[in-house]
Amino acid sequence: MRTFPVAKLDTVLRENLSTHVERHIRQALLAGHFAPGDRISLISIAETLGTSVTPVREAISRLAAAQALELVPGAIARVPAFDAHHYEELRDIRLAVECLAVERAALRVTKRELTQIKRALNGFLAASQSDEVEKMLLASRDFRFLIYEASKMPALVRVIEDLWLRTAPSFRLMYGFRTRDEELEQSYSKLFQALENHDAAEARRVAEHTVVVGASRLIAMVGS
């Protein structure tokens, strides 16, 4: 059973506790900390976050409604098993929304945002080249979502995040077979260059290639 990767919550929270717990769990899912089939103890999450089980259960219930997790008997949540046909459906939806976000980001990204995106890219490259899978997946999430947020389309970013909740755990499956991802390193570097040049067409082309190649590789590795 995989442990939960975040520090304890602050004593005083300015938002609903279960919402805060949900945000931490969502970020862990988006970063590929959990793989399909992983079982997660609600008690363990509560202990890690320094709260009771009740807000954890509420957060897990909302994530289960979004099909990101499944509730099973014994105060356990489970990441849904990988399903190739379902993943292909999500891939096609991701292509539509993520390519749109990247295209708009190329037109609207600011110098400050480019600096943040470059920092995330460097973190990803360093983690990939040193075979640090946890750091690589985290930096990959940061790189992609900094770009999506640069689109200045918050409703679109929320759609993408909901899709990633259901797909990001599968990313980890690829790195049970391999660690360094040189192809993704090249794609991310090309994507950053397109953003820096404000080349929307090239940014869209690279983003589409990244999603398609990643999905094809994963399905070929895991099987149907």
Side-chain angles (χ1 to χ4, degrees):
M1 189 175 296
R2 199 179 294 274
T3 57
F4 197 69
V6 298
K8 290 189 176 183
L9 301 178
D10 295 334
T11 303
V12 179
L13 298 176
R14 298 171 62 181
E15 58 186 317
N16 180 276
L17 186 56
S18 68
T19 301
H20 199 95
V21 171
E22 181 183 354
R23 178 171 292 114
H24 280 279
I25 300 172
R26 288 172 74 94
Q27 292 305 310
L29 288 166
L30 292 171
H33 180 78
F34 301 110
D38 276 352
R39 294 161 63 88
I40 312 164
S41 165
L42 274 62
I43 295 173
S44 175
I45 294 176
E47 291 176 348
T48 301
L49 296 177
T51 185
S52 69
V53 173
T54 299
V56 175
R57 190 181 300 278
E58 292 171 354
I60 293 292
S61 295
R62 288 195 293 270
L63 289 167
Q67 300 180 18
L69 292 172
E70 299 169 342
L71 273 171
V72 297
I76 299 293
R78 182 174 57 209
V79 181
F82 179 80
D83 181 289
H85 296 296
H86 182 58
Y87 192 85
E88 288 175 340
E89 178 187 358
L90 294 176
R91 174 205 60 197
D92 291 345
I93 301 170
R94 286 180 56 212
L95 279 171
V97 294
E98 292 181 40
C99 288
L100 172 60
V102 167
E103 189 176 54
R104 295 295 173 86
L107 299 174
R108 299 173 178 177
V109 67
T110 66
K111 289 183 178 179
R112 181 177 181 180
E113 288 169 333
L114 281 170
T115 298
Q116 295 172 326
I117 294 167
K118 179 66 171 179
R119 187 179 302 119
L121 172 61
N122 289 340
F124 169 80
L125 294 174
S128 179
Q129 291 163 12
S130 58
D131 293 331
E132 297 179 274
V133 173
E134 289 281 354
K135 290 183 179 179
M136 182 181 71
L137 290 170
L138 179 61
S140 177
R141 178 203 69 185
D142 291 346
F143 175 74
R144 299 278 277 269
F145 275 89
L146 283 169
I147 294 173
Y148 301 148
E149 288 163 6
S151 71
K152 314 299 190 294
M153 300 177 73
L156 181 60
V157 175
R158 286 193 294 273
V159 171
I160 295 171
E161 181 174 311
D162 286 344
L163 289 166
W164 268 56
L165 286 174
R166 297 159 66 183
T167 55
S170 298
F171 300 163
R172 175 171 285 276
L173 295 177
M174 285 192 288
Y175 303 106
F177 298 90
R178 58 188 291 171
T179 46
R180 182 175 182 183
D181 196 333
E182 296 181 60
E183 186 168 16
L184 195 57
E185 290 173 24
Q186 294 173 4
S187 292
Y188 279 7
S189 297
K190 289 178 182 178
L191 181 52
F192 178 78
Q193 189 64 56
L195 291 169
E196 200 170 37
N197 294 337
H198 299 286
D199 187 339
E202 174 65 4
R204 185 183 185 94
R205 185 195 69 77
V206 177
E208 181 175 353
H209 174 81
T210 301
V211 173
V212 169
V213 169
S216 298
R217 186 202 304 170
L218 176 61
I219 291 169
M221 285 180 171
V222 180
S224 57

